[in-house]
Amino acid sequence: MKTDKLSLFVLAALACGSLFASAWVTSNGDAKRYNTLDEALAAATALTNSSTVAVIGDDTISSSFTITNGMEICGDSVLIGNGGSLTVSGGATLVFSNITFSSSPFGIRTTPFVIVESGSSVELENGFSITKMGLNSNTDGVRFGCAFRVAAGGSISMEDGASISGCRQASQQNSTNVKTCGGAVWLDSGSMFEFAGGSITNCFVAGYGGAVYVSSNAEVRISGAAVANGNKANHGSASSASVADDICVASGGSLTVAGALSGGEDSIGVAVADSPNVGDAFAALADGASADEATLAAFVNNSDGSLLASVSGLSLVWKEEDSEDTPAGPQPVGKSAAAVMLANGDGTKYYATLEDGFGAATNGTATITLLKSVEFTNSVSLASNVTLVDVTTNRFAVTRPADGTALIDVGAHSLAVTNVTLTGGVGRFLNVKGGSLTLDADSEVCYVYGRGSAFVAPVTVWGGTFTMNGNASIFYCMNSFNRKYGNSLAAGGVVVAGSETAGAKAVMNGGRICGCRATGAGFGGIYIGNQAEIEVKGGECMIWDNTTADVFASNRARSNLTVHDLSSHTLTGALTGNAQIGFMEGILADTNTFGATTLSGAAAVQSAARYIHDSTGAAGEVDGKTLIWDPSVDPSVVADVCGPFAFTAIEENDDGAWLLTIAPAAAGCTYTLYASDDLSVDLQKWTQAGEPQTPTASGEISFTVPGDTAQRFWRAIGTDAY
């Protein structure tokens, strides 16, 4: 449409014997002369295909037209009459080039010159200009945009050589008391302005945004030699003096630097509703964009001209004129001072803390290598997919303080942990929501304690994937959420749960979950919640020695792997070595079927036998491709698990020691005595007293402990030997 357009019009005019025709319309290679621009626009808008309208000499647009097919308007100069306007609709694109528009600057017009509707666009190319234009906004419904009003879903672009100046919305507000905004351009919510060049200068509005007003959820993308300065507004007060107000970004609107700026110092004035102060962000950097010195110098704060633009991560912020640029975000350090090494799209850098390493991992897939054991004190949220690894044989530890609650929030990203120990603290350590967590070879999660409904488990996966490989381990973690058993989504080790809209999955390709406890609620080892599944891929997988108990830590029962009645369990690989899985299918354990298998033959039989029912002690069998419990075991007979028991005697010996006897102790159990001088102290923090003991033939067991304190509390904890 843009090729040789002026030459076409000149040739057409010569062929008709005149160079003074008012307007020409070309479409599909045919050119036709019209006496007025209004006649030409009426003819062009009636066409079913794109067209070009050329103005020869001076003309006037005095009527309103709706453009539903592509159109380019070019030529000489046009006066916009009181009723002259264009509406771009139906996904059409309107291009202006090499043409000048103007109207009375005194506000006698009542409609924006161009209205861009949803799905449609306007392009302001080289040679386009508006030299002056006025709009009277007192009319109801006409409030915004003197020259261009862009509705939701519409867009406008401006390139080098295009200019808008002298637009004026003089009235304070319309009769419904809505202040006028957007002296030249008004962007409705959901619209976009690609400001890649050109200039908007010397415009005025009675409300906000002398050049451009950016509504909530609208965006201006700025680059190149774009200029917006010298525009003013008086912010809705007739008595107020006009102030600098170029691009006004409402709360929720956005200004994005799409490329380097070359319009010169103070070429872009910004009045951001929420960001007039030092340290506040006023613009974002688009992907691949950077802010060089010229780009930063281009911005001026309309509210406080002493502030300068500075870079903070992927944002531009205001700084004081005499302050030095302090890079925002984690800063690299020398290798000798580093705790971690980060390798990602930014190269390889060293950081003083693990938190800094995670914070800097924003550019593509990252690997964070521990250089030593670290203390972890501040929560982090992943911004990319990360592998956390120790490449030495040390198995460095990430340790939370005893009362530390710092969390690694994986979110919808992925985290793989290899040869690293995550330990200590209270509350969730690893949290996944829609992403994936992999504990690879030699990784550990241990000695994590928590209570309360927000804790859930040391490892919690919502609507994502949890994988354990090789000899990864979760052990000696504890949940003491005090609520009736079965009423809470909680576990001592791991919870994997989905929803009706997003499933979740656990994959055990080896791995061990052992020695975890739930006291007062939930499940001991791993709980596969509603709308989730677990796949056991074989190997030396061990889910064993995990228990649950009431709030008094008595009546302890085995609770290893529990699968919700609406979830599934599949065995797809042979279990080997010391593999052993305690299992309770469903919260109520009311079924003899506990899963399916893809194995066959001896591998299926031998692997199924490594499952032990948590309540009955029955071993697993196969029936075709179904996993069932040994039918010879009466499921109504529930085995005692290391209890119940009670202290039958507490006697002080002559030497000041104490003899504690408990009975009846369960056969096949080993008992360990723990002591504390404070009954309220968490069980995890009680001190082991002496060596573990096994029952006598009579079922009794005794501990001899020193009498080194005036007051002691004792608990005996049994570990089953299945």
Side-chain angles (χ1 to χ4, degrees):
M1 193 191 312
K2 304 174 188 177
T3 304
D4 295 329
K5 50 185 174 287
L6 288 176
S7 61
L8 281 173
F9 302 132
V10 171
L11 289 174
L14 288 172
C16 296
S18 174
L19 278 173
F20 302 101
S22 205
W24 289 81
V25 175
T26 56
S27 179
N28 290 335
D30 295 329
K32 186 173 181 180
R33 177 174 62 87
Y34 294 87
N35 291 327
T36 66
L37 176 57
D38 279 357
E39 291 179 3
L41 288 171
T45 54
L47 297 173
T48 58
N49 47 278
S50 60
S51 60
T52 300
V53 177
V55 178
I56 307 300
D58 300 331
D59 209 329
T60 300
I61 176 173
S62 56
S63 301
S64 60
F65 299 93
T66 298
I67 298 167
T68 57
N69 294 295
M71 182 181 293
E72 181 170 7
I73 300 177
C74 59
D76 291 326
S77 62
V78 176
L79 177 67
I80 304 170
N82 291 344
S85 67
L86 301 172
T87 298
V88 190
S89 181
T93 296
L94 173 61
V95 179
F96 290 107
S97 65
N98 295 302
I99 192 167
T100 298
F101 291 91
S102 65
S103 76
S104 169
F106 299 110
I108 59 175
R109 301 185 62 256
T110 59
T111 306
F113 173 42
V114 179
I115 298 174
V116 186
E117 295 187 345
S118 178
S120 302
S121 61
V122 165
E123 299 175 4
L124 310 181
E125 295 187 345
N126 181 38
F128 165 82
S129 68
I130 290 177
T131 59
K132 57 183 178 179
M133 185 171 292
L135 182 66
N136 182 343
S137 297
N138 280 323
T139 303
D140 288 348
V142 182
R143 301 174 297 188
F144 308 121
C146 179
F148 296 95
R149 177 178 178 177
V150 187
S155 66
I156 184 171
S157 64
M158 192 171 187
E159 67 174 35
D160 286 345
S163 66
I164 301 174
S165 65
C167 289
R168 180 181 177 87
Q169 287 200 68
S171 59
Q172 302 301 321
Q173 56 196 25
N174 65 12
S175 61
T176 55
N177 291 323
V178 178
K179 297 181 179 67
T180 58
C181 296
V185 178
W186 182 74
L187 299 177
D188 197 357
S189 176
S191 64
M192 196 266 288
F193 181 11
E194 192 72 41
F195 197 3
S199 64
I200 306 176
T201 59
N202 299 318
C203 293
F204 169 83
V205 69
Y208 298 87
V212 182
Y213 184 83
V214 187
S215 301
S216 177
N217 297 318
E219 180 184 17
V220 174
R221 293 175 57 86
I222 192 167
S223 61
V227 172
N229 65 16
N231 305 282
K232 294 185 176 183
N234 67 5
H235 296 174
S237 175
S239 60
S240 298
S242 299
V243 296
D245 188 342
D246 295 298
I247 300 177
C248 182
V249 184
S251 179
S254 59
L255 176 64
T256 302
V257 179
L261 299 181
S262 57
E265 185 174 343
D266 295 345
S267 56
I268 301 293
V270 181
V272 181
D274 293 335
S275 307
N277 300 316
V278 173
D280 289 338
F282 66 89
L285 291 173
D287 291 342
S290 61
D292 56 19
E293 184 175 344
T295 297
L296 296 176
F299 289 102
V300 60
N301 187 316
N302 284 151
S303 300
D304 185 349
S306 69
L307 299 183
L308 303 178
S310 178
V311 180
S312 176
L314 296 178
S315 298
L316 299 188
V317 302
W318 299 117
K319 70 166 187 174
E320 292 180 341
E321 188 171 5
D322 57 353
S323 65
E324 295 293 330
D325 280 325
T326 301
Q331 298 305 305
V333 298
K335 184 175 181 180
S336 61
V340 300
M341 178 180 71
L342 169 66
N344 65 353
D346 295 325
T348 299
K349 297 179 181 179
Y350 296 89
Y351 293 89
T353 66
L354 176 59
E355 292 91 330
D356 282 353
F358 276 119
T362 59
N363 186 8
T365 300
T367 298
I368 298 175
T369 302
L370 287 178
L371 304 179
K372 60 182 179 182
S373 291
V374 298
E375 187 175 61
F376 185 64
T377 58
N378 296 301
S379 294
V380 296
S381 296
L382 268 62
S384 64
N385 299 332
V386 176
T387 296
L388 177 64
V389 62
D390 171 16
V391 297
T392 72
T393 59
N394 297 308
R395 189 187 291 165
F396 289 132
V398 177
T399 303
R400 300 190 298 185
D403 58 351
T405 59
L407 168 73
I408 300 176
D409 188 0
V410 178
H413 297 285
S414 68
L415 174 65
V417 182
T418 302
N419 195 33
V420 172
T421 296
L422 304 173
T423 185
V426 294
R428 269 178 278 181
F429 209 137
L430 295 162
N431 188 71
V432 180
K433 189 172 184 180
S436 65
L437 170 65
T438 301
L439 299 182
D440 273 325
D442 296 311
S443 59
E444 296 177 340
V445 178
C446 56
Y447 299 107
V448 178
Y449 172 79
R451 61 156 55 99
S453 60
F455 172 49
V456 184
V459 177
T460 306
V461 179
W462 309 105
T465 302
F466 169 67
T467 302
M468 292 188 75
N469 291 324
N471 59 346
S473 300
I474 299 174
F475 60 92
Y476 296 152
C477 295
M478 185 176 182
N479 188 333
S480 63
F481 177 36
N482 188 358
R483 188 182 289 180
K484 186 178 179 181
Y485 173 80
N487 287 347
S488 62
L489 185 64
V494 182
V495 165
V496 178
S499 66
E500 292 183 359
T501 58
K505 184 175 184 179
V507 178
M508 300 296 296
N509 189 21
R512 295 188 293 267
I513 303 175
C514 300
C516 295
R517 304 286 186 261
T519 300
F523 311 92
I526 177 172
Y527 177 56
I528 306 301
N530 192 14
Q531 303 295 332
E533 60 179 309
I534 181 169
E535 178 184 1
V536 178
K537 287 191 170 183
E540 201 167 355
C541 177
M542 182 176 290
I543 307 175
W544 199 247
D545 190 28
N546 305 285
T547 60
T548 187
D550 61 24
V551 295
F552 302 106
S554 59
N555 299 321
R556 187 166 294 281
R558 286 190 301 270
S559 177
N560 290 295
L561 166 60
T562 306
V563 178
H564 191 280
D565 291 329
L566 297 180
S567 297
S568 65
H569 159 243
T570 308
L571 173 66
T572 61
L575 294 171
T576 60
N578 294 316
Q580 193 84 69
I581 299 176
F583 193 103
M584 181 179 289
E585 202 283 337
I587 296 175
L588 302 178
D590 58 355
T591 176
N592 193 48
T593 298
F594 66 95
T597 182
T598 60
L599 302 176
S600 59
V605 173
Q606 294 169 7
S607 296
R610 293 176 182 268
Y611 287 86
I612 303 297
H613 197 291
D614 278 338
S615 296
T616 68
E621 296 185 350
V622 289
D623 181 9
K625 295 296 182 181
T626 302
L627 298 173
I628 63 172
W629 297 117
D630 180 353
S632 66
V633 177
D634 185 352
S636 66
V637 179
V638 179
D640 286 333
V641 182
C642 305
F645 54 81
F647 290 112
T648 59
I650 303 178
E651 305 172 76
E652 185 176 10
N653 292 341
D654 293 338
D655 58 2
W658 293 85
L659 179 68
L660 285 74
T661 304
I662 62 174
C669 291
T670 297
Y671 290 87
T672 304
L673 188 69
Y674 294 88
S676 174
D677 57 6
D678 183 354
L679 187 60
S680 65
V681 170
D682 298 324
L683 179 59
Q684 184 189 23
K685 299 178 181 179
W686 285 39
T687 303
Q688 181 176 329
E691 297 298 320
Q693 303 289 326
T694 56
T696 64
S698 64
E700 290 191 342
I701 188 169
S702 299
F703 297 91
T704 300
V705 296
D708 56 353
T709 60
Q711 177 85 30
R712 283 269 186 182
F713 301 100
W714 311 94
R715 283 176 174 167
I717 304 298
T719 302
D720 65 272
Y722 265 158

